[in-house]
Amino acid sequence: MQLEENYLSAQGFGVDVENAAPGSTVVVDAKTIGFPRRSLADLDAGDYTVQAVFNVYEQFHLASGKTVWLPPDKGEGQHWNLKPGNPYNAPVSVHFDPKSGKTLKLTLDKVIPPIEGTDQDPAVMAAKDPGAKWLKFMRFRSEKLSRFWGRDMYLGAWVLLPDGFDEHPDARYPLVVYQDHYHAGFGPLPFVTTKPDAKNAPRRAAAGYKFFQDWTSGRLPHVIMIYVQNANPYYDDSYVVDSANVGPYGSAINEELIPAIEAKYRGIGQGWARATFGGSTGGWEALATQVFYPDMYNGTDAACPDPVDFHAYQNIDLYNDANAFVRRGDFGEVPVAADRKPDGTIIATAESEFRFEYVLGTHGRSTEQWDIWQAVFSPAGTDGYPADVLDPLTGAVDKKVVDYWHDHYDLTAILQRDWPVLGPKLEGKLHVAVGDGDTYFLNNAVHLLQTALDSTRNPHSDATFQYGPGMPHCYTGGPPEYTMQENNANWPQRVLPLMADHMLKTAPAGADVKSWRY
């Protein structure tokens, strides 16, 4: 599939179909909304390669009493073009002329096969992994999520055990949570136990082998490191907070899954002995986890986080912009940019990205970025789907929904509002990095967060911020003498020792600070 959110995307069209039976017909015509061109009528006459995929929705009978139609994750990480059971056709070449009136027919005669039992199945991956001595996989049924969604709902967790775990049966360990998008395997880096070919190995494999060497040589602290798979019917990731639409993922992960992991693998199980880090979506999650669970975690390193202040919702000011797609003066207007290159070249606008997602799914069902933010942050609408914070086709902003976002998920606003309580609990715990050329303008919100924290008193915030001049998305900070790629490749090796040192400095009297330090 070649659809993407910027101007380089292939052409796509999307249509909702209800109660489709095998052999039924789905019509795409000039009224069907498309991206990048809005209509079939806007296409040039010529030769095209065409493929159709049918994303199958299922009914969810929510605990709220509402019934919604959504695409369940089937182990593929919520990607409609990889989802088992979705019908599709092999690409075909056609000649199309919008003026001819000719009907073109496609037959969806193929079905994406299941993942379960294949090498893409995490359970199979774990069983075959040569690093299985250290790397374990857990499939965990969440009672909280199952109750919310009206069906059994599971979390996946990769657990990386410290070297010497079996040889030190009396040791108990701190826990570090890595936050990220869905990966079939272990998230932060591949845990590569065999030295890759120096000439032909991808950089990621080489970094994974270096991580394995550092993990098993005593150069890194002996901690349990986990990565949680939390794909859901709206996205490949839940944002690890409790949400009116996505469900109680914050509670499920922090109150059900993590205690179960710590009980099984001898975690210390106390707040001073937990930390979290992540980038992008994981950066927002790492910061939000520390803010919403201030006593449960003892530090966060958040890189290039998704919008932490809705004055800078990427490049949209939800509080002051009446329209998210254009800014208007008395005699002119300019489109709101969404994506850019580090040199400032604009490659997508807010209007085009919202239409791209609308093509992939109405009612916020695209399983893409803007829609998951809306699903996580919005109240449920009267129809059971997320309330629109803005109209996906016109850009009109709903200020009542924005008010709900502000009170529940604007991290800057929450920190300012609750600083008398949160401030003392967050001392020494907040560390944020972002590139000042971030692809999605996420640095703007981070600057606003720093300005707010710099103005705090009693206590004055000691949060640290690092900005990479001209650096794009996924900047994780680090020594400036190294490239962004080099710093990203050894990110766990940079943050884990700092986390362990902070834990030791802040451990309460009588805490176990010895058994895991062998």
Side-chain angles (χ1 to χ4, degrees):
M1 297 302 161
Q2 298 174 336
L3 294 176
E4 50 187 320
E5 65 187 16
N6 59 49
Y7 74 99
L8 297 174
S9 176
Q11 180 65 41
F13 296 95
V15 61
D16 285 339
V17 182
E18 295 184 7
N19 301 316
S24 59
T25 299
V26 178
V27 176
V28 175
D29 57 22
K31 297 178 182 179
T32 304
I33 292 176
F35 171 83
R37 303 281 178 90
R38 193 176 183 93
S39 168
L40 278 169
D42 298 329
L43 295 186
D44 302 321
D47 296 323
Y48 294 87
T49 301
V50 183
Q51 185 177 37
V53 179
F54 192 100
N55 194 13
V56 179
Y57 295 167
E58 294 180 9
Q59 275 191 326
F60 287 82
H61 302 287
L62 306 180
S64 65
K66 298 290 186 180
T67 296
V68 292
W69 288 89
L70 294 167
D73 179 69
K74 294 187 175 181
E76 85 291 348
Q78 199 49 278
H79 297 289
W80 53 269
N81 56 328
L82 302 174
K83 188 180 296 296
N86 277 358
Y88 69 101
N89 70 282
V92 296
S93 298
V94 301
H95 181 82
F96 176 74
D97 184 345
K99 297 180 180 179
S100 71
K102 180 181 178 181
T103 299
L104 302 175
K105 295 183 179 180
L106 302 174
T107 300
L108 279 62
D109 55 359
K110 301 180 182 297
V111 177
I112 299 175
I115 287 174
E116 186 176 353
T118 72
D119 286 343
Q120 288 75 45
D121 183 336
V124 174
M125 295 174 69
K128 292 183 176 181
D129 197 308
K133 174 183 176 181
W134 301 273
L135 198 56
K136 311 294 182 181
F137 181 77
M138 175 188 293
R139 189 167 184 258
F140 180 84
R141 180 187 179 277
S142 166
E143 178 62 32
K144 293 177 183 289
L145 294 174
S146 299
R147 189 182 311 119
F148 176 91
W149 285 103
R151 62 168 68 183
D152 287 343
M153 297 292 286
Y154 292 85
L155 297 163
W158 284 97
V159 181
L160 183 59
L161 298 177
D163 195 47
F165 179 85
D166 292 332
E167 293 78 12
H168 295 79
D170 296 325
R172 303 185 73 82
Y173 301 93
L175 180 83
V176 175
V177 183
Y178 178 77
Q179 315 271 12
D180 202 354
H181 288 279
Y182 175 88
H183 300 272
F186 184 59
L189 284 172
F191 193 68
V192 180
T193 59
T194 304
K195 185 176 182 178
D197 184 293
K199 292 184 179 180
N200 301 315
R203 178 180 293 171
R204 183 171 166 81
Y209 182 63
K210 181 63 166 60
F211 180 45
F212 162 72
Q213 289 180 303
D214 291 339
W215 188 260
T216 57
S217 66
R219 287 193 288 269
L220 289 176
H222 297 121
V223 300
I224 299 168
M225 188 171 173
I226 71 169
Y227 157 69
V228 180
Q229 296 173 331
N230 50 103
N232 58 81
Y234 282 103
Y235 197 50
D236 80 334
D237 195 286
S238 70
Y239 281 73
V240 195
V241 290
D242 291 352
S243 163
N245 300 294
V246 182
Y249 273 91
S251 299
I253 291 171
N254 289 293
E255 298 172 12
E256 291 182 323
L257 175 64
I258 285 177
I261 291 173
E262 289 175 325
K264 183 173 182 177
Y265 294 108
R266 306 199 312 267
I268 291 174
Q270 297 176 15
W272 70 268
R274 297 191 193 97
T276 182
F277 74 110
S280 190
T281 289
W284 193 95
E285 291 173 334
L287 188 58
T289 294
Q290 183 65 77
V291 170
F292 291 142
Y293 296 88
D295 297 318
M296 186 173 174
Y297 288 87
N298 195 13
T300 182
D301 277 75
C304 50
D306 286 0
V308 296
D309 186 315
F310 298 143
H311 286 97
Y313 183 47
Q314 285 199 187
N315 211 19
I316 301 166
D317 183 345
L318 286 176
Y319 301 116
N320 297 304
D321 287 341
N323 190 286
F325 297 165
V326 294
R327 293 198 174 98
R328 295 185 173 94
D330 291 339
F331 302 101
E333 64 182 37
V334 63
V336 174
D339 295 5
R340 63 178 171 179
K341 295 181 179 179
D343 65 4
T345 301
I346 302 304
I347 58 177
T349 66
E351 184 278 331
S352 67
E353 289 193 355
F354 272 85
R355 183 152 46 85
F356 162 72
E357 296 197 10
Y358 185 86
V359 165
L360 294 181
T362 61
H363 295 294
R365 296 177 293 193
S366 69
T367 67
E368 293 288 340
Q369 186 62 76
W370 296 100
D371 277 345
I372 185 55
W373 284 335
Q374 181 168 273
V376 172
F377 302 148
S378 284
T382 56
D383 58 2
Y385 297 101
D388 286 341
V389 69
L390 60 93
D391 187 297
L393 297 179
T394 70
V397 177
D398 188 325
K399 298 300 183 180
K400 290 184 179 180
V401 177
V402 172
D403 288 343
Y404 183 93
W405 285 34
H406 172 274
D407 293 345
H408 293 81
Y409 300 104
D410 185 317
L411 298 183
T412 300
I414 291 168
L415 284 166
Q416 290 177 306
R417 181 192 69 200
D418 298 339
W419 190 253
V421 174
L422 289 176
K425 297 182 177 184
L426 296 178
E427 288 190 88
K429 295 183 179 182
L430 303 182
H431 310 284
V432 185
V434 68
D436 257 335
D438 188 274
T439 310
Y440 310 107
F441 299 89
L442 298 174
N443 52 304
N444 294 341
V446 173
H447 279 287
L448 294 173
L449 173 64
Q450 181 176 7
T451 298
L453 292 180
D454 284 348
S455 68
T456 56
R457 297 291 182 270
N458 301 318
H460 175 68
S461 173
D462 61 359
T464 66
F465 292 83
Q466 184 177 2
Y467 300 95
M471 293 294 103
H473 193 53
C474 294
Y475 174 78
T476 61
E481 62 267 27
Y482 296 107
T483 67
M484 172 174 158
Q485 290 74 21
E486 289 170 329
N487 281 330
N488 288 1
N490 69 2
W491 193 23
Q493 290 97 313
R494 287 192 287 112
V495 300
L496 291 176
L498 297 176
M499 290 175 169
D501 287 346
H502 180 70
M503 291 175 186
L504 292 172
K505 291 176 182 177
T506 57
D512 179 3
V513 296
K514 293 183 178 180
S515 72
W516 50 282
R517 297 168 63 206
Y518 44 79

